Amino acid sequence: MNKPLRRVAIAMMAMVVLLMANATYVQVIKADELRNDQRNSRTLYDEYSRPRGQIIAGGESLANSTETNDNLRFLRNYPGGPAFAPVTGYHSFVYGSNGIERAQNDILNGTDDSLAFTRLSDLVTGREPAGADVELTVNPAMQRTAYEQLTSKGFEGSVVALDPKTGGILAMANAPSYDPNRLAGHSAEQLEQEWNALNSQEGDPMTNRAVSEIYPPGSSFKMITAAAALESGYTPNSPVQAASSITLPNTNTRLPNYNGNNCGSGSTAPLTEALARSCNTAFAEIAGDVGAEKMRETAASFGFGQDLNIPMRVAKSDMGPMEDAAALYQSGIGQRDVRVTPMQNAMMVSAIANGGSLMKPELVKRTVAPDKETIDEMDPQKLEQAVSPEVAGQLRDMMVQSEERTKGSGKIANVEIASKTGTAQHGDAADQPHGWYVAFAPASDPQIALAVIVENGGDEGAEATGGSIAAPIGREVIRAGLQGGR
């Protein structure tokens, strides 16, 4: 072969190799990423050509698809509306999806590998392809009650309720929320208007506060400090600081109790009474006594710092740097740099309720193929042994005492609740604290563990406490769970 022809042949071979490499890169390496890219309109048109699976809870359909006459053959509907938006999420032709709609997208649209046989069967039999259903662990009565309790009072906040024995999420409600139906339409122009309106709405209604927002836990964090103390040799009767205020180590800063009250009538008080009265001075000194390492170790055993997907990702809770003794004292009462999600606080009391065993929170109970065969089912997983059963029992008894001293409406006759409140300062210019209530019930055989946060003082402003604004909501959610919503 002469030299010019050899050069042409080499160039052609190089072009063929590059073409094959590019085809391999696009068709093999990037295939999944391109297929799952929410901007891929071809994938979306294909998805909308068949019915998407339902999202179900307690026998109710929370999301389903109905046939239309336009280019996108099926329309997504959300009968549960805003109350269930934090669990269903939305599915939009233009703006993609979130919540379970996103986390279980391959199951719902029927492309998951577990449905390969079903797709082959559909091809052979000529049956119309369809997505699979996702059944949730949510208790609809509790979810509605949580949402109605928050919104009827105009509160901003969140409620998370768990089954302490399995980790199943019984409720995950936020306020304000949004109606996913607003993002499910087929008009791009209308969707843009709805999207912009929701994103400019006060209170960030599309933010899933339960798992994405982190807050100072205030005195609800004293359960972690109490657990660290009991594991370090304290007993429920150990005498602890009862002064109305103390000076933080190496500073001139005074740390007072709520309203400047003493913690009982003496110079010391039993640990149980200090928790029931939520005495800052006692728990600040306990944190200083057990030390930063023990506090971090105990918090981690309750789930702080863990990567967690439920299957939506949960933001990590953290104690902050605790760079000196004063910071450690303040961290012991849930202030300074301590930050938690409502999910984390629900996990904390769930572990206490479950004899110290921390179960992984899960939202999906099972997935069901179009032929009604179960594809996958929830397998409860233990994350940690947060504390020993003996310490968990001591904490439970202390929380029962705390509930007896907690004010607020909604007490349930013949149901013993174990609880702890929190009133968290967070630098608000109007001094309006966040109110917390963490609890489980019945105390002797826990079926529900929950965390409630009401932001910025609810309707009581600077006078608010966790007991006055958050506890009544928590008790109503517990009532709905134990009495079936009656």
Side-chain angles (χ1 to χ4, degrees), residues 329-364:
Y329 271 46
Q330 292 172 302
S331 299
I333 61 170
Q335 293 286 175
R336 190 76 178 207
D337 299 316
V338 184
R339 294 292 183 273
V340 302
T341 59
M343 179 62 69
Q344 171 59 60
N345 251 3
M347 290 167 62
M348 175 186 70
V349 285
S350 180
I352 296 170
N354 195 35
S357 294
L358 175 63
M359 305 301 291
K360 181 179 182 293
E362 289 285 0
L363 193 52
V364 177

PDB file of all heavy atoms in Angstrom, residues 329-364:
ATOM      1  N   TYR A 329     -21.078  22.577  78.686  1.00  0.00           N
ATOM      2  CA  TYR A 329     -22.208  22.812  79.597  1.00  0.00           C
ATOM      3  C   TYR A 329     -23.470  23.176  78.797  1.00  0.00           C
ATOM      4  O   TYR A 329     -24.551  22.643  79.037  1.00  0.00           O
ATOM      5  CB  TYR A 329     -21.881  23.949  80.564  1.00  0.00           C
ATOM      6  CG  TYR A 329     -21.198  23.526  81.843  1.00  0.00           C
ATOM      7  CD1 TYR A 329     -20.130  22.635  81.835  1.00  0.00           C
ATOM      8  CD2 TYR A 329     -21.596  24.033  83.077  1.00  0.00           C
ATOM      9  CE1 TYR A 329     -19.495  22.260  83.004  1.00  0.00           C
ATOM     10  CE2 TYR A 329     -20.978  23.665  84.256  1.00  0.00           C
ATOM     11  CZ  TYR A 329     -19.909  22.776  84.213  1.00  0.00           C
ATOM     12  OH  TYR A 329     -19.285  22.400  85.376  1.00  0.00           O
ATOM     13  N   GLN A 330     -23.320  24.115  77.861  1.00  0.00           N
ATOM     14  CA  GLN A 330     -24.479  24.559  77.079  1.00  0.00           C
ATOM     15  C   GLN A 330     -25.004  23.450  76.173  1.00  0.00           C
ATOM     16  O   GLN A 330     -26.211  23.329  75.966  1.00  0.00           O
ATOM     17  CB  GLN A 330     -24.100  25.790  76.254  1.00  0.00           C
ATOM     18  CG  GLN A 330     -23.834  27.028  77.097  1.00  0.00           C
ATOM     19  CD  GLN A 330     -23.287  28.169  76.276  1.00  0.00           C
ATOM     20  OE1 GLN A 330     -22.245  28.040  75.634  1.00  0.00           O
ATOM     21  NE2 GLN A 330     -23.985  29.288  76.280  1.00  0.00           N
ATOM     22  N   SER A 331     -24.088  22.614  75.660  1.00  0.00           N
ATOM     23  CA  SER A 331     -24.515  21.499  74.808  1.00  0.00           C
ATOM     24  C   SER A 331     -25.324  20.491  75.602  1.00  0.00           C
ATOM     25  O   SER A 331     -26.241  19.852  75.063  1.00  0.00           O
ATOM     26  CB  SER A 331     -23.291  20.809  74.189  1.00  0.00           C
ATOM     27  OG  SER A 331     -22.552  21.718  73.386  1.00  0.00           O
ATOM     28  N   GLY A 332     -25.014  20.340  76.882  1.00  0.00           N
ATOM     29  CA  GLY A 332     -25.729  19.378  77.719  1.00  0.00           C
ATOM     30  C   GLY A 332     -27.193  19.691  77.889  1.00  0.00           C
ATOM     31  O   GLY A 332     -27.986  18.818  78.266  1.00  0.00           O
ATOM     32  N   ILE A 333     -27.587  20.937  77.617  1.00  0.00           N
ATOM     33  CA  ILE A 333     -29.012  21.303  77.705  1.00  0.00           C
ATOM     34  C   ILE A 333     -29.594  21.550  76.308  1.00  0.00           C
ATOM     35  O   ILE A 333     -30.635  22.181  76.162  1.00  0.00           O
ATOM     36  CB  ILE A 333     -29.228  22.538  78.604  1.00  0.00           C
ATOM     37  CG1 ILE A 333     -28.501  23.769  78.052  1.00  0.00           C
ATOM     38  CG2 ILE A 333     -28.773  22.240  80.023  1.00  0.00           C
ATOM     39  CD1 ILE A 333     -28.878  25.071  78.767  1.00  0.00           C
ATOM     40  N   GLY A 334     -28.877  21.066  75.271  1.00  0.00           N
ATOM     41  CA  GLY A 334     -29.419  21.138  73.918  1.00  0.00           C
ATOM     42  C   GLY A 334     -29.353  22.494  73.269  1.00  0.00           C
ATOM     43  O   GLY A 334     -30.117  22.777  72.342  1.00  0.00           O
ATOM     44  N   GLN A 335     -28.443  23.328  73.725  1.00  0.00           N
ATOM     45  CA  GLN A 335     -28.275  24.658  73.117  1.00  0.00           C
ATOM     46  C   GLN A 335     -26.896  24.729  72.452  1.00  0.00           C
ATOM     47  O   GLN A 335     -26.370  23.729  72.048  1.00  0.00           O
ATOM     48  CB  GLN A 335     -28.449  25.742  74.181  1.00  0.00           C
ATOM     49  CG  GLN A 335     -29.863  25.816  74.727  1.00  0.00           C
ATOM     50  CD  GLN A 335     -30.880  26.440  73.779  1.00  0.00           C
ATOM     51  OE1 GLN A 335     -32.078  26.470  74.057  1.00  0.00           O
ATOM     52  NE2 GLN A 335     -30.441  26.918  72.647  1.00  0.00           N
ATOM     53  N   ARG A 336     -26.366  25.930  72.323  1.00  0.00           N
ATOM     54  CA  ARG A 336     -25.076  26.173  71.656  1.00  0.00           C
ATOM     55  C   ARG A 336     -25.138  25.684  70.197  1.00  0.00           C
ATOM     56  O   ARG A 336     -25.970  26.189  69.457  1.00  0.00           O
ATOM     57  CB  ARG A 336     -23.953  25.475  72.436  1.00  0.00           C
ATOM     58  CG  ARG A 336     -22.537  25.828  72.008  1.00  0.00           C
ATOM     59  CD  ARG A 336     -22.076  27.181  72.488  1.00  0.00           C
ATOM     60  NE  ARG A 336     -20.705  27.455  72.110  1.00  0.00           N
ATOM     61  CZ  ARG A 336     -19.901  28.260  72.782  1.00  0.00           C
ATOM     62  NH1 ARG A 336     -20.321  28.840  73.900  1.00  0.00           N
ATOM     63  NH2 ARG A 336     -18.690  28.500  72.358  1.00  0.00           N
ATOM     64  N   ASP A 337     -24.347  24.661  69.824  1.00  0.00           N
ATOM     65  CA  ASP A 337     -24.282  24.217  68.423  1.00  0.00           C
ATOM     66  C   ASP A 337     -24.988  22.886  68.183  1.00  0.00           C
ATOM     67  O   ASP A 337     -24.844  22.308  67.101  1.00  0.00           O
ATOM     68  CB  ASP A 337     -22.815  24.095  67.988  1.00  0.00           C
ATOM     69  CG  ASP A 337     -22.078  25.425  68.069  1.00  0.00           C
ATOM     70  OD1 ASP A 337     -22.658  26.443  67.646  1.00  0.00           O
ATOM     71  OD2 ASP A 337     -20.939  25.441  68.577  1.00  0.00           O
ATOM     72  N   VAL A 338     -25.715  22.364  69.156  1.00  0.00           N
ATOM     73  CA  VAL A 338     -26.420  21.089  68.963  1.00  0.00           C
ATOM     74  C   VAL A 338     -27.578  21.306  67.994  1.00  0.00           C
ATOM     75  O   VAL A 338     -28.377  22.231  68.154  1.00  0.00           O
ATOM     76  CB  VAL A 338     -26.955  20.542  70.298  1.00  0.00           C
ATOM     77  CG1 VAL A 338     -27.601  19.168  70.070  1.00  0.00           C
ATOM     78  CG2 VAL A 338     -25.847  20.440  71.324  1.00  0.00           C
ATOM     79  N   ARG A 339     -27.678  20.431  66.983  1.00  0.00           N
ATOM     80  CA  ARG A 339     -28.743  20.545  65.986  1.00  0.00           C
ATOM     81  C   ARG A 339     -29.278  19.145  65.657  1.00  0.00           C
ATOM     82  O   ARG A 339     -28.496  18.205  65.479  1.00  0.00           O
ATOM     83  CB  ARG A 339     -28.222  21.188  64.695  1.00  0.00           C
ATOM     84  CG  ARG A 339     -27.785  22.650  64.865  1.00  0.00           C
ATOM     85  CD  ARG A 339     -28.962  23.570  65.156  1.00  0.00           C
ATOM     86  NE  ARG A 339     -28.574  24.971  65.253  1.00  0.00           N
ATOM     87  CZ  ARG A 339     -28.144  25.567  66.361  1.00  0.00           C
ATOM     88  NH1 ARG A 339     -28.044  24.851  67.482  1.00  0.00           N
ATOM     89  NH2 ARG A 339     -27.828  26.833  66.364  1.00  0.00           N
ATOM     90  N   VAL A 340     -30.597  19.042  65.580  1.00  0.00           N
ATOM     91  CA  VAL A 340     -31.219  17.753  65.280  1.00  0.00           C
ATOM     92  C   VAL A 340     -32.348  17.937  64.272  1.00  0.00           C
ATOM     93  O   VAL A 340     -32.962  19.001  64.174  1.00  0.00           O
ATOM     94  CB  VAL A 340     -31.800  17.080  66.546  1.00  0.00           C
ATOM     95  CG1 VAL A 340     -30.740  16.876  67.599  1.00  0.00           C
ATOM     96  CG2 VAL A 340     -32.962  17.882  67.111  1.00  0.00           C
ATOM     97  N   THR A 341     -32.639  16.869  63.553  1.00  0.00           N
ATOM     98  CA  THR A 341     -33.852  16.825  62.732  1.00  0.00           C
ATOM     99  C   THR A 341     -34.994  16.303  63.602  1.00  0.00           C
ATOM    100  O   THR A 341     -34.759  15.582  64.589  1.00  0.00           O
ATOM    101  CB  THR A 341     -33.681  15.857  61.548  1.00  0.00           C
ATOM    102  OG1 THR A 341     -33.400  14.542  62.059  1.00  0.00           O
ATOM    103  CG2 THR A 341     -32.561  16.297  60.633  1.00  0.00           C
ATOM    104  N   PRO A 342     -36.245  16.608  63.267  1.00  0.00           N
ATOM    105  CA  PRO A 342     -37.363  15.973  63.969  1.00  0.00           C
ATOM    106  C   PRO A 342     -37.277  14.449  63.899  1.00  0.00           C
ATOM    107  O   PRO A 342     -37.629  13.760  64.857  1.00  0.00           O
ATOM    108  CB  PRO A 342     -38.587  16.515  63.215  1.00  0.00           C
ATOM    109  CG  PRO A 342     -38.148  17.880  62.752  1.00  0.00           C
ATOM    110  CD  PRO A 342     -36.713  17.694  62.360  1.00  0.00           C
ATOM    111  N   MET A 343     -36.801  13.902  62.771  1.00  0.00           N
ATOM    112  CA  MET A 343     -36.641  12.449  62.665  1.00  0.00           C
ATOM    113  C   MET A 343     -35.676  11.932  63.721  1.00  0.00           C
ATOM    114  O   MET A 343     -35.922  10.904  64.359  1.00  0.00           O
ATOM    115  CB  MET A 343     -36.139  12.083  61.260  1.00  0.00           C
ATOM    116  CG  MET A 343     -35.901  10.594  61.039  1.00  0.00           C
ATOM    117  SD  MET A 343     -37.383   9.589  61.205  1.00  0.00           S
ATOM    118  CE  MET A 343     -38.289  10.103  59.748  1.00  0.00           C
ATOM    119  N   GLN A 344     -34.549  12.645  63.938  1.00  0.00           N
ATOM    120  CA  GLN A 344     -33.577  12.200  64.936  1.00  0.00           C
ATOM    121  C   GLN A 344     -34.176  12.205  66.333  1.00  0.00           C
ATOM    122  O   GLN A 344     -33.962  11.274  67.127  1.00  0.00           O
ATOM    123  CB  GLN A 344     -32.335  13.091  64.887  1.00  0.00           C
ATOM    124  CG  GLN A 344     -31.333  12.860  66.021  1.00  0.00           C
ATOM    125  CD  GLN A 344     -30.812  11.436  66.070  1.00  0.00           C
ATOM    126  OE1 GLN A 344     -30.213  10.965  65.118  1.00  0.00           O
ATOM    127  NE2 GLN A 344     -31.061  10.733  67.175  1.00  0.00           N
ATOM    128  N   ASN A 345     -34.939  13.230  66.665  1.00  0.00           N
ATOM    129  CA  ASN A 345     -35.533  13.266  68.001  1.00  0.00           C
ATOM    130  C   ASN A 345     -36.565  12.151  68.178  1.00  0.00           C
ATOM    131  O   ASN A 345     -36.693  11.586  69.267  1.00  0.00           O
ATOM    132  CB  ASN A 345     -36.167  14.640  68.268  1.00  0.00           C
ATOM    133  CG  ASN A 345     -35.357  15.439  69.288  1.00  0.00           C
ATOM    134  OD1 ASN A 345     -34.310  14.998  69.739  1.00  0.00           O
ATOM    135  ND2 ASN A 345     -35.846  16.604  69.652  1.00  0.00           N
ATOM    136  N   ALA A 346     -37.290  11.810  67.110  1.00  0.00           N
ATOM    137  CA  ALA A 346     -38.218  10.681  67.188  1.00  0.00           C
ATOM    138  C   ALA A 346     -37.447   9.368  67.361  1.00  0.00           C
ATOM    139  O   ALA A 346     -37.874   8.474  68.098  1.00  0.00           O
ATOM    140  CB  ALA A 346     -39.088  10.626  65.935  1.00  0.00           C
ATOM    141  N   MET A 347     -36.301   9.249  66.697  1.00  0.00           N
ATOM    142  CA  MET A 347     -35.468   8.045  66.841  1.00  0.00           C
ATOM    143  C   MET A 347     -34.964   7.915  68.279  1.00  0.00           C
ATOM    144  O   MET A 347     -34.880   6.808  68.815  1.00  0.00           O
ATOM    145  CB  MET A 347     -34.287   8.113  65.867  1.00  0.00           C
ATOM    146  CG  MET A 347     -34.670   7.960  64.403  1.00  0.00           C
ATOM    147  SD  MET A 347     -33.322   8.413  63.265  1.00  0.00           S
ATOM    148  CE  MET A 347     -32.062   7.197  63.699  1.00  0.00           C
ATOM    149  N   MET A 348     -34.618   9.045  68.892  1.00  0.00           N
ATOM    150  CA  MET A 348     -34.095   9.014  70.267  1.00  0.00           C
ATOM    151  C   MET A 348     -35.112   8.393  71.226  1.00  0.00           C
ATOM    152  O   MET A 348     -34.801   7.448  71.974  1.00  0.00           O
ATOM    153  CB  MET A 348     -33.741  10.433  70.710  1.00  0.00           C
ATOM    154  CG  MET A 348     -33.303  10.540  72.164  1.00  0.00           C
ATOM    155  SD  MET A 348     -33.071  12.246  72.677  1.00  0.00           S
ATOM    156  CE  MET A 348     -34.764  12.857  72.696  1.00  0.00           C
ATOM    157  N   VAL A 349     -36.353   8.909  71.194  1.00  0.00           N
ATOM    158  CA  VAL A 349     -37.345   8.366  72.135  1.00  0.00           C
ATOM    159  C   VAL A 349     -37.802   6.972  71.705  1.00  0.00           C
ATOM    160  O   VAL A 349     -38.213   6.165  72.541  1.00  0.00           O
ATOM    161  CB  VAL A 349     -38.557   9.305  72.287  1.00  0.00           C
ATOM    162  CG1 VAL A 349     -38.198  10.498  73.133  1.00  0.00           C
ATOM    163  CG2 VAL A 349     -39.131   9.725  70.963  1.00  0.00           C
ATOM    164  N   SER A 350     -37.734   6.685  70.411  1.00  0.00           N
ATOM    165  CA  SER A 350     -38.096   5.353  69.939  1.00  0.00           C
ATOM    166  C   SER A 350     -37.140   4.304  70.521  1.00  0.00           C
ATOM    167  O   SER A 350     -37.571   3.215  70.922  1.00  0.00           O
ATOM    168  CB  SER A 350     -38.053   5.314  68.404  1.00  0.00           C
ATOM    169  OG  SER A 350     -38.392   4.037  67.935  1.00  0.00           O
ATOM    170  N   ALA A 351     -35.851   4.631  70.577  1.00  0.00           N
ATOM    171  CA  ALA A 351     -34.878   3.700  71.146  1.00  0.00           C
ATOM    172  C   ALA A 351     -35.140   3.477  72.633  1.00  0.00           C
ATOM    173  O   ALA A 351     -35.070   2.344  73.125  1.00  0.00           O
ATOM    174  CB  ALA A 351     -33.464   4.238  70.931  1.00  0.00           C
ATOM    175  N   ILE A 352     -35.452   4.548  73.354  1.00  0.00           N
ATOM    176  CA  ILE A 352     -35.767   4.395  74.786  1.00  0.00           C
ATOM    177  C   ILE A 352     -37.004   3.518  74.950  1.00  0.00           C
ATOM    178  O   ILE A 352     -37.052   2.624  75.801  1.00  0.00           O
ATOM    179  CB  ILE A 352     -35.982   5.778  75.434  1.00  0.00           C
ATOM    180  CG1 ILE A 352     -34.688   6.599  75.381  1.00  0.00           C
ATOM    181  CG2 ILE A 352     -36.464   5.632  76.878  1.00  0.00           C
ATOM    182  CD1 ILE A 352     -34.857   8.061  75.765  1.00  0.00           C
ATOM    183  N   ALA A 353     -38.015   3.753  74.107  1.00  0.00           N
ATOM    184  CA  ALA A 353     -39.256   2.986  74.184  1.00  0.00           C
ATOM    185  C   ALA A 353     -39.030   1.514  73.882  1.00  0.00           C
ATOM    186  O   ALA A 353     -39.748   0.645  74.391  1.00  0.00           O
ATOM    187  CB  ALA A 353     -40.276   3.564  73.203  1.00  0.00           C
ATOM    188  N   ASN A 354     -38.016   1.228  73.059  1.00  0.00           N
ATOM    189  CA  ASN A 354     -37.774  -0.142  72.602  1.00  0.00           C
ATOM    190  C   ASN A 354     -36.668  -0.817  73.403  1.00  0.00           C
ATOM    191  O   ASN A 354     -35.894  -1.616  72.867  1.00  0.00           O
ATOM    192  CB  ASN A 354     -37.408  -0.125  71.107  1.00  0.00           C
ATOM    193  CG  ASN A 354     -37.496  -1.498  70.468  1.00  0.00           C
ATOM    194  OD1 ASN A 354     -38.348  -2.315  70.820  1.00  0.00           O
ATOM    195  ND2 ASN A 354     -36.611  -1.750  69.513  1.00  0.00           N
ATOM    196  N   GLY A 355     -36.557  -0.497  74.669  1.00  0.00           N
ATOM    197  CA  GLY A 355     -35.571  -1.152  75.524  1.00  0.00           C
ATOM    198  C   GLY A 355     -34.144  -0.833  75.157  1.00  0.00           C
ATOM    199  O   GLY A 355     -33.226  -1.619  75.424  1.00  0.00           O
ATOM    200  N   GLY A 356     -33.926   0.307  74.536  1.00  0.00           N
ATOM    201  CA  GLY A 356     -32.573   0.724  74.173  1.00  0.00           C
ATOM    202  C   GLY A 356     -32.181   0.376  72.751  1.00  0.00           C
ATOM    203  O   GLY A 356     -31.137   0.824  72.270  1.00  0.00           O
ATOM    204  N   SER A 357     -32.982  -0.426  72.047  1.00  0.00           N
ATOM    205  CA  SER A 357     -32.648  -0.822  70.670  1.00  0.00           C
ATOM    206  C   SER A 357     -33.160   0.231  69.688  1.00  0.00           C
ATOM    207  O   SER A 357     -34.365   0.491  69.625  1.00  0.00           O
ATOM    208  CB  SER A 357     -33.285  -2.171  70.329  1.00  0.00           C
ATOM    209  OG  SER A 357     -32.732  -3.192  71.110  1.00  0.00           O
ATOM    210  N   LEU A 358     -32.245   0.791  68.923  1.00  0.00           N
ATOM    211  CA  LEU A 358     -32.605   1.798  67.925  1.00  0.00           C
ATOM    212  C   LEU A 358     -32.836   1.113  66.588  1.00  0.00           C
ATOM    213  O   LEU A 358     -31.913   0.536  66.009  1.00  0.00           O
ATOM    214  CB  LEU A 358     -31.479   2.832  67.799  1.00  0.00           C
ATOM    215  CG  LEU A 358     -31.652   3.884  66.702  1.00  0.00           C
ATOM    216  CD1 LEU A 358     -32.891   4.749  66.966  1.00  0.00           C
ATOM    217  CD2 LEU A 358     -30.404   4.765  66.601  1.00  0.00           C
ATOM    218  N   MET A 359     -34.083   1.171  66.092  1.00  0.00           N
ATOM    219  CA  MET A 359     -34.427   0.554  64.815  1.00  0.00           C
ATOM    220  C   MET A 359     -34.320   1.580  63.692  1.00  0.00           C
ATOM    221  O   MET A 359     -34.595   2.769  63.891  1.00  0.00           O
ATOM    222  CB  MET A 359     -35.849  -0.012  64.862  1.00  0.00           C
ATOM    223  CG  MET A 359     -36.093  -0.999  66.007  1.00  0.00           C
ATOM    224  SD  MET A 359     -34.982  -2.434  65.953  1.00  0.00           S
ATOM    225  CE  MET A 359     -35.586  -3.272  64.485  1.00  0.00           C
ATOM    226  N   LYS A 360     -33.933   1.113  62.514  1.00  0.00           N
ATOM    227  CA  LYS A 360     -33.802   2.004  61.360  1.00  0.00           C
ATOM    228  C   LYS A 360     -35.193   2.447  60.888  1.00  0.00           C
ATOM    229  O   LYS A 360     -36.047   1.606  60.599  1.00  0.00           O
ATOM    230  CB  LYS A 360     -33.089   1.287  60.213  1.00  0.00           C
ATOM    231  CG  LYS A 360     -32.900   2.153  58.978  1.00  0.00           C
ATOM    232  CD  LYS A 360     -32.157   1.381  57.889  1.00  0.00           C
ATOM    233  CE  LYS A 360     -31.922   2.265  56.668  1.00  0.00           C
ATOM    234  NZ  LYS A 360     -33.135   2.637  55.970  1.00  0.00           N
ATOM    235  N   PRO A 361     -35.426   3.765  60.812  1.00  0.00           N
ATOM    236  CA  PRO A 361     -36.725   4.234  60.311  1.00  0.00           C
ATOM    237  C   PRO A 361     -36.913   3.846  58.846  1.00  0.00           C
ATOM    238  O   PRO A 361     -35.991   3.956  58.036  1.00  0.00           O
ATOM    239  CB  PRO A 361     -36.623   5.763  60.441  1.00  0.00           C
ATOM    240  CG  PRO A 361     -35.524   6.003  61.397  1.00  0.00           C
ATOM    241  CD  PRO A 361     -34.562   4.879  61.215  1.00  0.00           C
ATOM    242  N   GLU A 362     -38.092   3.366  58.521  1.00  0.00           N
ATOM    243  CA  GLU A 362     -38.408   2.949  57.150  1.00  0.00           C
ATOM    244  C   GLU A 362     -39.796   3.444  56.784  1.00  0.00           C
ATOM    245  O   GLU A 362     -40.719   3.391  57.585  1.00  0.00           O
ATOM    246  CB  GLU A 362     -38.362   1.420  57.014  1.00  0.00           C
ATOM    247  CG  GLU A 362     -36.971   0.819  57.087  1.00  0.00           C
ATOM    248  CD  GLU A 362     -36.165   1.028  55.814  1.00  0.00           C
ATOM    249  OE1 GLU A 362     -36.692   1.650  54.870  1.00  0.00           O
ATOM    250  OE2 GLU A 362     -35.013   0.570  55.766  1.00  0.00           O
ATOM    251  N   LEU A 363     -39.923   3.894  55.551  1.00  0.00           N
ATOM    252  CA  LEU A 363     -41.207   4.406  55.076  1.00  0.00           C
ATOM    253  C   LEU A 363     -41.924   3.415  54.170  1.00  0.00           C
ATOM    254  O   LEU A 363     -43.144   3.448  54.040  1.00  0.00           O
ATOM    255  CB  LEU A 363     -40.964   5.720  54.315  1.00  0.00           C
ATOM    256  CG  LEU A 363     -42.145   6.610  53.986  1.00  0.00           C
ATOM    257  CD1 LEU A 363     -42.996   6.905  55.217  1.00  0.00           C
ATOM    258  CD2 LEU A 363     -41.655   7.910  53.369  1.00  0.00           C
ATOM    259  N   VAL A 364     -41.168   2.523  53.522  1.00  0.00           N
ATOM    260  CA  VAL A 364     -41.763   1.574  52.580  1.00  0.00           C
ATOM    261  C   VAL A 364     -42.025   0.238  53.270  1.00  0.00           C
ATOM    262  O   VAL A 364     -41.101  -0.410  53.768  1.00  0.00           O
ATOM    263  CB  VAL A 364     -40.847   1.352  51.362  1.00  0.00           C
ATOM    264  CG1 VAL A 364     -41.442   0.299  50.431  1.00  0.00           C
ATOM    265  CG2 VAL A 364     -40.646   2.662  50.618  1.00  0.00           C
TER     266      VAL A 364
END
